[in-house]
Amino acid sequence: MKYIWFIAVLLLAGFFCVSAGSAASGAKDNISVTNISLEPAVFMKGDTGTVGITVKNTGTATVQIGKSTMNGNGLMVISGETYGNLVNLGGGTSYTYNYVIRADVADGTYYPSIYLTFIPSGTLSRTIPIKVSDVPLSLSVISMPDTFQEGKKAEFTLRIGNPRENSVNGVTLVPEGSSMTFSPTSVFVGELAADGSADVNVTVTPTEEGELTFRVLYQNGLNDHEIVRSLPVQFGTDRKDPVMIANAIEVIPEGDGIRISGDVTNAGLENAYSVVVTVAPPAQPMDPYRSYVVGNLEPDDFSGFELTVQSGEADEIEMVIQYRDVDGNAYESTVPVSVLEDEGETYAVNASNNGLSPLMVGVILLLLVGVGWVISLSWRKKE
Amino acid sequence: MFIGIERVQMNRIAMNVIQEILLHPEEYFRSYSLEEKGWRLPLLVVLCVGIFAGIGAWLASSMVLPLLPPEARSMGPLMGIIGFLSTFIVIFLIWIFYTLVFYIISHLLKGTGSFKETLAVVGIGYLPQIFGTLLTTIMMAVYLPTIRITSIAGIEDAMRSSPMVMMSGILGLIFLLWSANIWIFGVAKVRSLEKKQAIFVVGLPVFLYLIYALATSFGLL
């Protein structure tokens, strides 16, 4: 009889235990993963990012989660694989586990998993697909000048494209190059959506030949990245630039110096502005035409000029044609002018100023006698 | 045919008139009457002088052209026209001026006769100057292309020392004397003066002009 009671107590205890275990098992079934967040959405090789796993207790009873463990499955979990603190997840509440992972792997999709261990018993696991793609932003030159010239502004239009599956932030274009000035010095584009692009205009003014670099800085999540495109800058002649040609140059001695006159023609394809004709040392300009301001010259247009110069003893002087392009860049072209050529003409003029020639005197005397005779004739009585 | 003969006769008459004016002005003016002879001859004579002198001025303006600023050189033809017209007008003004001077001086000597008649005979007296201005213009046409003026000062030098300019100046004075000789007879007739009085009336201003011209030529003025 005693054994009967003992058996009954054991059965009862066993029943209670089974009941309690069933209750605990039913509560953990109410735990589910409601959200997984990735930052960045797509990792690049070497990127560090966060994985956020949000679990929610959809039941009413509190569930105890003893620990959570992240298995990288190829990715490195750098925040520690095990999340050891006890979490009491009340009914209707959520909790987010954040893991920091690093993607030092080749491109592909990786599946790290998370294991939640409940108290007193039970587990929950979930795999998280994480994409790794090392495709960078693209930078293309939409337009640029055919040639570069010293001190002349060169306008670039660049297009920054995002061929990635996720958006990137903080996109900034920075032009670089020694002996070059830029306007603007950098261009902030900001967020660039997946498959999006942005056009950027940059003006580059080189003072020396060199290498022009465009650097695009951007962030994938919290990771800094950059792409670099370089272009050689070599000076050349712009096919459309104004070209100054001097024609019909005449050199006439005048007083202590010479007078240079002629035509200057714009043989280029673009307008020349502020065209000034003058001379280079050692020749010294003198009044009244120290320098001659022609002004603007359209293509194929020409204008006369005149200079008065103290040539000194030089046989040749350098005539300088200064002009500017539409951007205000200054140019010079030099024309050598021989001073000796026309001196003979002056002497010819001087030689002719030697007074009346005997022939002229003879003609005058003849006329004088003739007119005198005619006058005397008029005073005689007509027969 | 008949018209041709008539034209030959007309030309012969005209030549006789010109010959008489140049060689025997006293004979020509003895029977002169403005009403009878009309304005055609004096106007034609002064017109010819004006045209030839104007052409000379046109040629002279070409000397200045190289001295102009390049942008002003397109004004060259306009300058020639202005030179021609201004000289042409000045010749007519000088005609009136001479007449006025002769008229005033002869008036002081109790001369009678109208201003119009005086103007006509002074115009006829310009006849020798047709040859003078024609000759001068031909000389300028030949000589000017050989001159190269390099400055404004160079024009002055050329005007002062150029043999062509000197010769044309002397020729102008010689032909002026010839004109003065004709004016004496003409003024004596139309102003009813004695020859001595007419010599004074014409001679005084011409002499003064002669002195002025020579003085400027030799740089005294």
Side-chain angles (χ1 to χ4, degrees), chain B:
Chain B
M1 188 71 176
F2 178 75
I3 295 168
I5 292 167
E6 197 176 54
R7 184 171 292 170
V8 170
Q9 283 177 340
M10 290 278 287
N11 287 343
R12 194 171 292 164
I13 292 167
M15 287 304 294
N16 285 339
V17 170
I18 290 169
Q19 191 180 338
E20 198 165 50
I21 293 167
L22 292 174
L23 301 178
H24 307 290
E26 189 176 13
E27 295 297 322
Y28 177 78
F29 286 118
R30 183 168 293 158
S31 59
Y32 180 80
S33 161
L34 179 61
E35 286 180 5
E36 188 187 329
K37 304 282 185 183
W39 281 100
R40 192 194 299 176
L41 182 62
L43 279 174
L44 194 66
V45 168
V46 180
L47 194 72
C48 287
V49 174
I51 288 171
F52 291 141
I55 292 170
W58 183 311
L59 294 172
S61 69
S62 65
M63 278 201 319
V64 188
L65 208 57
L67 302 176
L68 295 176
E71 63 272 12
R73 284 180 195 163
S74 57
M75 302 276 286
L78 185 65
M79 284 184 63
I81 292 167
I82 291 170
F84 176 88
L85 288 176
S86 57
T87 307
F88 185 79
I89 292 165
V90 163
I91 292 294
F92 275 80
L93 291 176
I94 290 173
W95 173 31
I96 295 166
F97 178 73
Y98 269 126
T99 308
L100 198 65
V101 171
F102 297 160
Y103 186 83
I104 291 168
I105 297 172
S106 60
H107 183 74
L108 295 173
L109 297 174
K110 311 291 183 193
T112 57
S114 69
F115 182 81
K116 281 197 288 188
E117 276 187 323
T118 314
L119 191 67
V121 295
V122 171
I124 293 167
Y126 261 84
L127 191 59
Q129 295 195 50
I130 292 179
F131 308 115
T133 49
L134 181 61
L135 205 60
T136 307
T137 302
I138 291 169
M139 281 174 58
M140 288 175 85
V142 172
Y143 186 77
L144 280 180
T146 66
I147 294 182
R148 187 149 198 182
I149 305 295
T150 56
S151 66
I152 301 295
I155 293 181
E156 201 179 332
D157 291 342
M159 299 307 280
R160 191 171 291 166
S161 61
S162 161
M164 186 277 295
V165 176
M166 285 171 72
M167 188 165 172
S168 63
I170 293 167
L171 290 182
L173 293 179
I174 291 171
F175 284 101
L176 177 65
L177 287 175
W178 195 352
S179 285
N181 183 60
I182 298 169
W183 289 334
I184 288 168
F185 294 107
V187 168
K189 166 67 181 168
V190 297
R191 296 291 287 164
S192 305
L193 294 172
E194 290 180 12
K195 277 185 193 168
K196 284 180 185 175
Q197 288 177 312
I199 290 170
F200 178 75
V201 168
V202 174
L204 180 66
V206 170
F207 176 74
L208 290 175
Y209 174 74
L210 214 66
I211 297 295
Y212 169 77
L214 289 172
T216 50
S217 294
F218 290 103
L220 299 175
L221 287 176

Side-chain angles (χ1 to χ4, degrees), chain A residues 183-232:
Chain A
S183 177
T185 50
S186 67
V187 183
F188 181 73
V189 176
E191 184 180 2
L192 204 55
D195 283 333
S197 67
D199 287 352
V200 175
N201 295 317
V202 177
T203 303
V204 181
T205 310
T207 52
E208 285 179 16
E209 291 185 341
E211 194 171 66
L212 170 64
T213 303
F214 291 109
R215 194 178 295 275
V216 178
L217 308 173
Y218 62 99
Q219 288 182 314
N220 189 36
L222 297 172
N223 305 279
D224 291 331
H225 293 273
E226 68 174 28
I227 55 166
V228 176
R229 293 286 180 273
S230 294
L231 294 167

Side-chain angles (χ1 to χ4, degrees), chain A residues 329-340:
Chain A
N329 299 303
Y331 300 89
E332 268 189 14
S333 74
T334 305
V335 180
V337 176
S338 175
V339 180
L340 289 176

Side-chain angles (χ1 to χ4, degrees), chain A residues 261-284:
Chain A
S261 62
D263 298 328
V264 59
T265 308
N266 179 4
L269 298 177
E270 288 183 348
N271 285 2
Y273 297 90
S274 307
V275 180
V276 177
V277 186
T278 185
V279 290
Q284 293 294 318

